[in-house]
Amino acid sequence: MSNFEHLIRNRYSCRQFSDSEVSSDKVQLILESALLSPTAKNSRQWQFYVTDNRLLMTQLADVKEHGASFLRDAGFAVVVACDPKNDECWIEDCSIAAITMQYQASDLGLGSCWCEIRDRYLSDGTSAEDAVRGIVGVGENERILCVIAFGHAKSGETKHSREADWQKVKIVD
């Protein structure tokens, strides 16, 4: 494992992927990190739908008006979902699992990018959740938080520099 500070400072949202295949060992480690991520009350109610099918990836890239096109070229994608009837903290639990996968991917030298699905729509009013549900077969009772794209970063991928904005921290005595 690399230094966590280095991981935090250098992980970025990768939106351009090469056509290099991601090894099954790396895919497994990424998924295992999600399965081991913490949840409220240790409920572990999330579901992960995984695909590297090019047709499905192309369809996923069109599930909302903006901000999903990078899915088309990713090595694989993970849809993060949960039945809210079984987990009142489903948004939080799914979010933790999603970022845990992204940190694991970065530690493995892979790029990733979060594609928000919950409460997003196509211009005709179709919900992105319904679009994703139809593509990968997510259960009717499940809500979809996001789709995470994973893969090898394309050479020359632009990393946005960022600094810690300490004005966002308020010390309370």
Side-chain angles (χ1 to χ4, degrees), residues 23-163:
S23 75
S24 60
D25 289 346
K26 288 183 178 184
V27 174
Q28 185 173 346
L29 282 170
I30 290 167
L31 295 171
E32 185 176 26
S33 74
L35 294 169
L36 295 174
S37 66
T39 59
K41 301 176 189 173
N42 200 29
S43 65
R44 306 170 115 45
Q45 292 296 311
W46 16 236
Q47 295 291 319
F48 307 106
Y49 297 81
V50 184
T51 188
D52 63 358
N53 178 291
R54 298 311 330 151
L55 176 60
L56 297 180
M57 301 286 285
T58 298
Q59 292 172 344
L60 286 171
D62 294 327
V63 297
K64 61 183 197 167
E65 293 303 310
H66 304 286
S69 61
F70 56 84
L71 288 161
R72 186 172 284 108
D73 297 322
F76 71 100
V78 178
V79 175
V80 182
C82 187
D83 183 341
K85 291 181 194 132
N86 297 330
D87 185 354
E88 66 186 28
C89 297
W90 77 274
I91 295 170
E92 295 84 350
D93 291 349
C94 287
S95 296
I96 293 167
I99 193 60
T100 300
M101 286 188 282
Q102 289 189 274
Y103 284 137
Q104 180 63 73
S106 186
D107 189 55
L108 295 170
L110 297 172
S112 68
C113 193
W114 175 302
C115 178
E116 185 69 27
I117 299 299
R118 184 181 65 89
D119 296 334
R120 300 300 186 262
Y121 299 88
L122 289 162
S123 62
D124 67 2
T126 302
S127 81
E129 284 189 73
D130 287 342
V132 172
R133 185 181 323 286
I135 295 167
V136 298
V138 173
E140 264 314 300
N141 295 329
E142 292 178 284
R143 294 289 313 272
I144 302 166
L145 179 70
C146 63
V147 180
I148 307 289
F150 296 96
H152 294 278
K154 192 173 193 174
S155 181
E157 165 79 0
T158 304
K159 296 179 185 179
H160 299 283
S161 65
R162 50 184 207 261
E163 297 292 324

Side-chain angles (χ1 to χ4, degrees), residues 1-7 106-108:
M1 179 177 163
S2 67
N3 177 295
F4 192 71
E5 178 185 3
H6 177 81
L7 190 63
S106 186
D107 189 55
L108 295 170

